[in-house]
Amino acid sequence: MLLPADLPTPLTVVDDPELAAAGVELRLKRDDLAHPAVPGNKWRKLAPNLERAVADGSRALLTYGGAYSTHVRAVAAAARALGLESVGVIRGAELAGMPRNWSLAGAERDGMVLEFVERSVYREVASGRQERRPGHFVLPEGGSNAAAVRGAAVIAAELAAQLPEPGERDVVCCAVGTGGTLAGIAAGLPPGAQALGVAVLRGEGYLEREVTALHRAAYGREFANWRLVHGWHAGGYGKVPPELERFAAGFEDRHGVPVERRYVAKALSAVYGLARAGELTDRRVTLVVTGLPDPAPQA
Ligand SMILES: *Cc1c(COP(=O)(O)O)cnc(C)c1O
């Protein structure tokens, strides 16, 4: 059995003189605390898909990701809990013969069968559209499909019930990898509120098209209440330069909240940067804490 998530996730206020001076209120929506085995937004996006996989009588879950993909680990853990098989198609054929890193080792411990594909073909297969294995429920890279977007919309619906008088003043911010979480948050927001996505990779134009396509797939329409900022990826996916590391560690020290580095730290640094630039003055900002830091490296 997959344990139920602990919902709604807590909403906490961040007391920070720098933000107060900039006229910005900041809250954290602690989705990192949602579930013990399937972290953060990965649970939001997987939950409706798992329901369908089980209802369809699927025997296995199959998905795609890089060597450190949180989504891949989440799928492995969820499959194991549900008594399903799992297959992970991993970017990088050269990894097949190498010792497993902690992330892939964790997926294998949960029973996932790993298949490694050449980087040149990975992009093509990772949408899952060409996959034809009977009994396998296929999730695209990052798990972002129409059902996942509807699952992520619940974040915003919870928030609307937790915030006093939600509306025009509200900006709800999240890190963006594949766009499913941002698409869901935008779709679930109350009237007047805005969603702000912080791209964690170089994806200007591409990510906007992805979010729009996900809205069409999930709701048959587009939404105008969201935007992406592209100045905060810190060099690209997975890059954590020293200034970002210092910023994240400083926030952890001051506020006692763990800051996942590849996504959450970039979204948080965007909030501070935009606040300093006067772009969030008189706004009530909620940052969705979409996940937990990686475990400390094992010796
Ligand atoms: C996967 C992940 C994201 C990105 O979510 P998308 O829906 O792919 O945009 C954001 N934050 C964390 C912590 C993640 O693990």
Side-chain angles (χ1 to χ4, degrees), residues 234-269:
Y237 182 74
K239 299 274 193 308
V240 185
E243 321 88 83
L244 184 63
E245 176 56 39
R246 268 196 301 280
F247 166 79
F251 187 90
E252 288 179 329
D253 282 349
R254 288 196 308 282
H255 300 293
V257 176
V259 177
E260 185 279 333
R261 299 299 199 262
R262 273 175 296 166
Y263 293 94
V264 180
K266 293 179 183 182
L268 192 59
S269 75

Side-chain angles (χ1 to χ4, degrees), residues 39 41-42 45 70-71 141-142 144 175-182 200 260 263-264 289-292:
N41 66 338
K42 301 303 183 283
K45 298 200 296 181
T70 305
H71 166 68
E141 177 179 42
S144 288
V176 174
T178 60
T181 306
L182 175 63
V200 304
E260 185 279 333
Y263 293 94
V264 180
V289 181
T290 39
L292 289 164

Side-chain angles (χ1 to χ4, degrees), residues 174-216:
C174 70
V176 174
T178 60
T181 306
L182 175 63
I185 288 172
L189 283 179
Q194 297 282 321
L196 174 68
V198 177
V200 304
L201 45 90
R202 298 169 182 276
E204 195 153 2
Y206 162 79
L207 284 173
E208 279 82 356
R209 288 191 294 278
E210 289 292 304
V211 173
T212 301
L214 285 166
H215 278 149
R216 288 223 191 86

Side-chain angles (χ1 to χ4, degrees), residues 120-249:
S120 57
V121 302
Y122 175 79
R123 215 22 43 250
E124 230 179 286
V125 301
S127 72
R129 280 188 215 104
Q130 303 162 21
E131 187 56 61
R132 297 282 177 271
R133 282 180 244 195
H136 287 60
F137 188 89
V138 178
L139 290 147
E141 177 179 42
S144 288
N145 57 15
V149 171
R150 291 190 288 264
V154 178
I155 300 171
E158 279 180 19
L159 186 58
Q162 289 171 313
L163 283 170
E165 295 178 51
E168 309 253 314
R169 211 153 68 80
D170 287 298
V171 175
V172 181
C173 178
C174 70
V176 174
T178 60
T181 306
L182 175 63
I185 288 172
L189 283 179
Q194 297 282 321
L196 174 68
V198 177
V200 304
L201 45 90
R202 298 169 182 276
E204 195 153 2
Y206 162 79
L207 284 173
E208 279 82 356
R209 288 191 294 278
E210 289 292 304
V211 173
T212 301
L214 285 166
H215 278 149
R216 288 223 191 86
Y219 300 100
R221 55 170 281 221
E222 294 181 18
F223 290 78
N225 63 344
W226 61 276
R227 69 184 176 109
L228 273 158
V229 289
H230 293 278
W232 309 93
H233 56 62
Y237 182 74
K239 299 274 193 308
V240 185
E243 321 88 83
L244 184 63
E245 176 56 39
R246 268 196 301 280
F247 166 79

Side-chain angles (χ1 to χ4, degrees), residues 21-197:
V24 180
E25 267 181 49
L26 177 62
R27 284 171 174 71
L28 302 178
K29 174 83 169 141
R30 296 291 306 275
D31 258 40
D32 54 322
L33 304 176
H35 196 276
V38 183
N41 66 338
K42 301 303 183 283
W43 189 88
R44 300 282 190 179
K45 298 200 296 181
L46 270 176
N49 280 295
L50 297 175
E51 239 171 73
R52 265 189 44 209
V54 170
D56 290 357
S58 305
R59 157 163 78 76
L61 304 178
L62 185 153
T63 197
Y64 309 85
Y68 291 93
S69 167
T70 305
H71 166 68
V72 165
R73 290 198 306 283
V75 168
R80 177 184 179 171
L82 292 169
L84 300 173
E85 297 166 30
S86 63
V87 179
V89 178
I90 308 300
R91 180 177 59 229
E94 75 284 358
L95 299 172
M98 296 188 355
R100 302 289 188 245
N101 66 37
W102 62 269
S103 185
L104 295 177
E108 280 187 331
R109 270 199 304 281
D110 279 331
M112 181 174 264
V113 174
L114 301 178
E115 297 176 1
F116 296 88
V117 300
E118 295 287 353
R119 285 162 197 272
S120 57
V121 302
Y122 175 79
R123 215 22 43 250
E124 230 179 286
V125 301
S127 72
R129 280 188 215 104
Q130 303 162 21
E131 187 56 61
R132 297 282 177 271
R133 282 180 244 195
H136 287 60
F137 188 89
V138 178
L139 290 147
E141 177 179 42
S144 288
N145 57 15
V149 171
R150 291 190 288 264
V154 178
I155 300 171
E158 279 180 19
L159 186 58
Q162 289 171 313
L163 283 170
E165 295 178 51
E168 309 253 314
R169 211 153 68 80
D170 287 298
V171 175
V172 181
C173 178
C174 70
V176 174
T178 60
T181 306
L182 175 63
I185 288 172
L189 283 179
Q194 297 282 321
L196 174 68

